[in-house]
Amino acid sequence: MARAPVISVCHGGGPMPLLNDPGHKDLIQSMTTKLPKVLGLGTDAAPKAIVLVTAHWSERVPTISSGKTPKLLYDYGGFPPESYQIKYDAPGSPEIAKLVADTLRGAGFQPELNEERGWDHGVFVPMKLINPAANIPIIQLAVLASMSAPSHFALGRALAPLRDQNIAILGSGMPSFHNLRLMFSGEISKPAFLARNKEWMVMCPEIRRVSYTTPQMLHTKFSDYPIAEKDGKAKGTVA
C-alpha cells in the first residue's frame, strides 16, 4: 500500500470559497478536482482518516480534537448570513485521535486531547470542497503557540509515520499573509509593505536546502509581519 499523501492548502478568505466567490475560482477548481485525486477519494487508495493541521487554532502543546461529532466553529465575522448556516458532517475519531497522541508522545511531545473543540473554518471550508461526501474521519490538530519553526518541523516529522497507516496529513492556512484588516486598508499596496513582502518571498526557497537554524531565522523575520491572530485563538459562533 502506498503512503497516504501530505498536502498543504490555502483555504482562502473565510467562507468565501464555499460561497462561490469569483476571486476564489482557481482555488475552488483545485480543491474540487485536483485534490480529490491526490487523496485518492472514491478509490481503494482513499485514506482511512485525515489529520488536519489548522492555522486557526494554536496551543502551548500539540492539541488534538478527539470528539466523535465535532460542531463547526464559525470563526469569522461580517460575512453573508448563509456563511453561518454551512454544514459539514464528517465524523471525528477518538480512536485515531488517541493514535495521533501516542505517536507524538513517542516522539517526545506532550500532546493533549480536546473532546469539545469544534472544527474551525480552516477545516470545514477546504474539506467541504475536497470531500463533500464527508465520509472520512477528520482529526484536527492545533499549531504551537510558540510559533517555533524547529518545533513545527519536529512535529511534522513526528506525524510522518501515520502516513504508513493510511492516514493523510493536510495543513490548512494561508500561503504567506493573513491580516484582513490590513488587506482591506490598502496598506499592502504601499511600497514599504511590498518591499517587505518581496524580501520574505525571495527568502522562502532557502527553506528547502538549509538546516533547521535558517528556517528559525526565516520564521523570525516572518513573525515581524502584522498578523491578524496573534494568539491563534479562533473566535466566532458554534453550529
Side-chain angles (χ1 to χ4, degrees), residues 142-173:
V143 295
L144 299 174
S146 67
M147 299 179 71
S148 163
S151 294
H152 282 94
F153 273 86
L155 184 64
R157 280 189 163 182
L159 292 171
L162 295 171
R163 299 175 61 198
D164 295 319
Q165 300 183 56
N166 199 26
I167 298 173
I169 301 169
L170 193 152
S172 174

Side-chain angles (χ1 to χ4, degrees), residues 130-142:
I130 294 168
N131 185 32
N135 57 357
I136 296 177
I138 298 171
I139 295 83
Q140 181 180 229
L141 175 62

Side-chain angles (χ1 to χ4, degrees), residues 37-99:
K37 293 178 181 177
V38 173
L39 286 166
L41 300 185
T43 74
D44 292 341
K48 68 179 181 182
I50 296 172
V51 173
L52 197 151
V53 186
T54 172
H56 289 284
W57 182 24
S58 68
E59 297 288 353
R60 182 181 57 85
V61 298
T63 307
I64 305 150
S65 64
S66 58
K68 287 185 177 181
T69 55
K71 296 180 179 180
L72 301 190
L73 177 60
Y74 302 123
D75 53 331
Y76 41 70
F79 291 95
E82 58 266 32
S83 66
Y84 302 93
Q85 304 300 321
I86 293 168
K87 303 297 180 185
Y88 189 68
D89 297 325
S93 173
E95 296 78 17
I96 294 179
K98 182 179 182 300
L99 172 62

